[in-house]
Amino acid sequence: MKTIGLLGGMSWESTTSYYQAINVGINSHLGGLHSAKICLHSVDFAEIEELQRTGQWQQAGTILTQAARGLERAGADLLLICTNTMHKLAPRIEEAIGIPLLHIADATAEQLVEDGIGTVGLLGTRFTMEDDFFRERLRKKFGIGVVIPEKAARQDLHAIIFNELCHGMINPKSRTRFLDIINDLGRHGAEAVVLGCTEIALLVQQQHSRVPLYDTTAIHAAKAVSLALAE
């Protein structure tokens, strides 16, 4: 079994989902008392969030690159960045390490392609929805069309993620807002909706929506399990 490196803490609420999903996945394959071999570096999210908010992506990249190198030195055989937003810095991090980086958009897109989904709605932080690093990867590498919510909806989603979900707060009114946005994306051509923030699945699951939902956290974790067990 390979050792999985987790670059987490962004936020720690979703990193716990990764840890649980990966361990459950390994145990379901191997049984008994088996669990995953994991190295975890959990950052102080307050520092990262300030750098995001003020546009200091270069400095954020320095922090995450150093952490990624530390995970490699600690024995990780592959690396996961446990957040969609910070995949904005994935190319820089990937260049700095000698182990494979499992990109969250690639893992998600592979599942979408397998399921025959050609156009998706994308939910996440405003960085993920508005910047190109996630949307363009789906379009250019996998031929998947992407629809994003209107500006007011993007602002609401971003606020709910940072003000509630990153604190572990589950608000039924916020779930209703998410579902309204998901349904609107469906009316605008999305065959499915990607939950492109690792905290969203804490609030919204498939049981809440008639539109197919793709939880990037669960997909990313499952792919890591597969790679960790591969010969």
Side-chain angles (χ1 to χ4, degrees):
M1 186 196 312
K2 298 181 181 69
T3 298
I4 300 169
L6 298 181
L7 185 48
M10 299 168 283
S11 67
W12 71 264
E13 290 283 351
S14 62
T15 303
T16 61
S17 298
Y18 270 94
Y19 187 81
Q20 181 177 37
I22 290 171
N23 276 292
V24 168
I26 291 292
N27 186 261
S28 69
H29 280 83
L30 301 181
L33 294 176
H34 284 287
S35 57
K37 295 180 179 180
I38 292 174
C39 290
L40 169 63
H41 184 118
S42 188
V43 301
D44 180 358
F45 190 38
E47 296 176 359
I48 300 298
E49 187 278 331
E50 182 178 1
L51 296 173
Q52 291 176 344
R53 180 166 31 87
T54 56
Q56 298 182 70
W57 294 98
Q58 187 73 13
Q59 180 60 26
T62 298
I63 294 171
L64 296 191
T65 295
Q66 291 174 348
R69 287 172 173 161
L71 288 168
E72 183 176 13
R73 289 193 299 270
D77 297 304
L78 65 150
L79 178 70
L80 276 68
I81 306 171
C82 301
T83 161
N84 287 269
T85 296
M86 299 314 287
H87 276 75
K88 182 180 176 74
L89 301 172
R92 178 177 172 186
I93 296 169
E94 192 169 27
E95 289 176 1
I97 57 178
I99 57 176
L101 185 152
L102 174 56
H103 200 292
I104 197 167
D106 291 354
T108 303
E110 288 167 5
Q111 187 63 58
L112 291 167
V113 170
E114 182 177 330
D115 293 346
I117 303 295
T119 302
V120 297
L122 176 62
L123 306 184
T125 67
R126 63 179 178 86
F127 310 113
T128 300
M129 291 185 288
E130 296 175 2
D131 293 352
D132 289 339
F133 66 91
F134 197 106
R135 293 184 293 124
E136 288 304 301
R137 196 171 182 102
L138 262 60
R139 285 176 176 144
K140 292 181 178 179
K141 191 172 180 179
F142 297 93
I144 298 171
V146 179
V147 181
I148 63 172
E150 61 182 12
K151 184 176 181 179
R154 296 198 302 269
Q155 291 173 339
D156 287 348
L157 293 174
H158 188 87
I160 291 168
I161 289 167
F162 280 94
N163 297 335
E164 298 177 17
L165 298 182
C166 287
H167 297 282
M169 297 170 55
I170 305 302
N171 186 333
K173 290 183 179 179
S174 296
R175 178 181 291 126
T176 298
R177 180 61 173 140
F178 264 80
L179 293 174
D180 287 343
I181 295 169
I182 288 169
N183 289 333
D184 188 61
L185 290 170
R187 288 191 291 270
H188 285 83
E191 302 166 57
V193 169
V194 171
L195 306 183
C197 174
T198 51
E199 286 85 11
I200 295 177
L202 301 173
L203 179 67
V204 178
Q205 296 91 41
Q206 188 61 69
Q207 68 196 52
H208 300 124
S209 174
R210 288 176 292 181
V211 178
L213 304 180
Y214 284 74
D215 173 10
T216 56
T217 303
I219 294 169
H220 205 200
K223 185 67 173 180
V225 168
S226 178
L227 292 176
L229 295 177
E231 294 294 333

